[in-house]
Amino acid sequence: MTDEYYNAVDQILDEDYVDNIFLYDDEADKDVEFEQVALIPIDDDVYVILKPVTPVDGVGENEALAFRIDFAPTEEEEDILVVIDDDELVTRIFDEYYELLKEEEES
C-alpha cells in the first residue's frame, strides 16, 4: 500500500487493494474494520458487501452488510457508502452475489 490517501470507496474499487476497509461509525464513535466480500453491479448502481471484523451492534458474527456506492457528482466531493436497509434490495444483492459465486465455481 502506498502512503497516498484513499477513502473507503477508493479502496473498495482498487483491485490491487487487499487490506481491510475502515469505516467510521457515528453512533459508536469509533472506526469499524470490514473485510470486503464482493462488489456487485445491479442496474445502474454498484453495491459492496462488507463483513465486519470489528463487532457491530445488531450484526451477527457470520453476517455481512450491503452498501450502495453513491458516486459524487464532482471531483471536489467524495464518493460515499450508504448502508442498505431495504430487505428486498439486500436479498437481491446477496442473490446476485450467490449467482456470481455459482458461475465462478462452474467455470
Side-chain angles (χ1 to χ4, degrees), residues 2 6 8 12 24 27 34 42 45 50 65 81:
T2 67
Y6 279 108
I12 289 165
Y24 183 71
E27 292 177 18
F34 290 90
I42 297 177
D45 290 313
L50 299 176
L65 298 170
L81 295 173

Side-chain angles (χ1 to χ4, degrees), residues 3-54:
D3 292 332
E4 182 178 343
Y5 170 76
Y6 279 108
N7 71 23
V9 174
D10 290 339
Q11 294 169 341
I12 289 165
L13 297 175
D14 183 346
E15 292 179 8
D16 296 323
Y17 189 83
V18 295
D19 294 328
N20 287 339
I21 309 295
F22 287 86
L23 301 177
Y24 183 71
D25 180 346
D26 292 350
E27 292 177 18
D29 192 30
K30 67 177 182 175
D31 284 331
V32 178
E33 183 177 4
F34 290 90
E35 174 186 353
Q36 182 174 337
V37 176
L39 197 62
I40 310 289
I42 297 177
D43 300 328
D44 293 331
D45 290 313
V46 178
Y47 299 92
V48 62
I49 298 173
L50 299 176
K51 183 178 185 291
V53 175
T54 307

Side-chain angles (χ1 to χ4, degrees), residues 10 15 23-24 26-27 31 33-34 39-40 46 59 66 69 74 76 79 91-93 96 101 103-104 107:
D10 290 339
E15 292 179 8
L23 301 177
Y24 183 71
D26 292 350
E27 292 177 18
D31 284 331
E33 183 177 4
F34 290 90
L39 197 62
I40 310 289
V46 178
V59 179
I69 299 175
T74 67
E76 290 78 31
D79 304 326
T91 299
R92 184 171 178 208
I93 293 165
E96 183 67 24
L101 280 180
E103 289 173 12
E104 187 175 298
S107 61

Side-chain angles (χ1 to χ4, degrees), residues 48-102:
V48 62
I49 298 173
L50 299 176
K51 183 178 185 291
V53 175
T54 307
V56 174
D57 287 342
V59 179
E61 187 176 318
N62 292 317
E63 295 180 334
L65 298 170
F67 295 82
R68 181 184 63 246
I69 299 175
D70 278 358
F71 294 100
T74 67
E75 288 186 23
E76 290 78 31
E77 299 175 275
E78 282 194 4
D79 304 326
I80 60 170
L81 295 173
V82 178
V83 70
I84 304 301
D85 57 7
D86 176 323
D87 291 340
E88 287 182 30
L89 182 54
V90 169
T91 299
R92 184 171 178 208
I93 293 165
F94 277 91
D95 286 348
E96 183 67 24
Y97 169 64
Y98 296 133
E99 187 62 33
L100 291 171
L101 280 180
K102 182 179 171 185

